[in-house]
Amino acid sequence: MSAFKMEHKNPEGLFSSPAFSQAITVSGKAKTIYIGGQNAINSTGELVGVGDLELQTKQALNNIATILASENASFANLVKLNIYLVSGSDPRIGYKAFQEVAGLLVNPPLVTVLFVSEFARPFCLLEIDGIAVIEDKD
C-alpha cells in the first residue's frame, strides 16, 4: 500500500473556514482512532465546570487529547468531530475553548454541531466524539 496521506479539501464554490474543512481524504496505510463521546468528566469521575460551557468544553477536549496522545496522535490527526450542545448554548464559546486547547489548526477537521435537549448525565452541557487517523506503522 502507498504511503499514508491525509488531504484537507475545500473545493472551489464552497465556504472556506478556519474552523472546519469541507472534506478530508485519507489514503495509504492508516490506523483509525474512533473517539467515544467525551464530556466534562475528569479522571476521578467528577463533572468539571457545572453551568460553565467553556470549562466543560476544555475538559472534554483534554479528555480527547489524552485519548489521542495514547495513540501517539494529536488534534492535527482529527478527521471528524461531532459536537453535541445543550439547546441554548453558544457554539462560539466552544470554538474559543477549542482554539485555546488545540490551537489554531492549519487543517481543521470536519465538524458537525448539533443541539440536543439534555444528556444522560445531569448538568453536562456538551459531548464530543470524533475520528482521527495516523499512519499505521505495523
Side-chain angles (χ1 to χ4, degrees):
M1 193 171 258
S2 63
F4 171 75
K5 187 174 177 182
M6 182 165 67
E7 293 182 90
H8 294 72
K9 300 184 177 209
N10 291 294
E12 190 173 322
L14 295 178
F15 176 67
S16 183
S17 170
F20 59 86
S21 295
Q22 292 289 356
I24 298 174
T25 60
V26 177
S27 57
K29 193 171 179 186
K31 178 179 181 180
T32 305
I33 305 161
Y34 296 94
I35 301 166
Q38 297 297 308
N39 53 32
I41 304 301
N42 66 18
S43 64
T44 62
E46 298 169 319
L47 178 65
V48 173
V50 173
D52 187 327
L53 180 59
E54 183 175 359
L55 287 178
Q56 287 198 22
T57 302
K58 287 178 179 179
Q59 180 63 50
L61 291 170
N62 286 329
N63 293 348
I64 290 171
T66 299
I67 292 167
L68 291 169
S70 76
E71 294 294 331
N72 296 314
S74 70
F75 286 104
N77 299 103
L78 287 171
V79 173
K80 176 82 170 108
L81 287 175
N82 295 310
I83 303 168
Y84 306 90
L85 297 170
V86 168
S87 293
S89 297
D90 185 348
R92 294 173 295 188
I93 294 170
Y95 178 62
K96 177 182 172 284
F98 183 87
Q99 287 183 313
E100 290 176 15
V101 174
L104 186 59
L105 299 175
V106 174
N107 293 308
L110 310 174
V111 176
T112 299
V113 178
L114 300 163
F115 289 100
V116 299
S117 60
E118 63 184 316
F119 293 101
R121 177 106 185 209
F123 306 110
C124 281
L125 299 175
L126 84 156
E127 187 163 303
I128 306 172
D129 66 43
I131 301 169
V133 293
I134 56 173
E135 182 177 8
D136 187 353
K137 297 181 181 182
D138 291 334

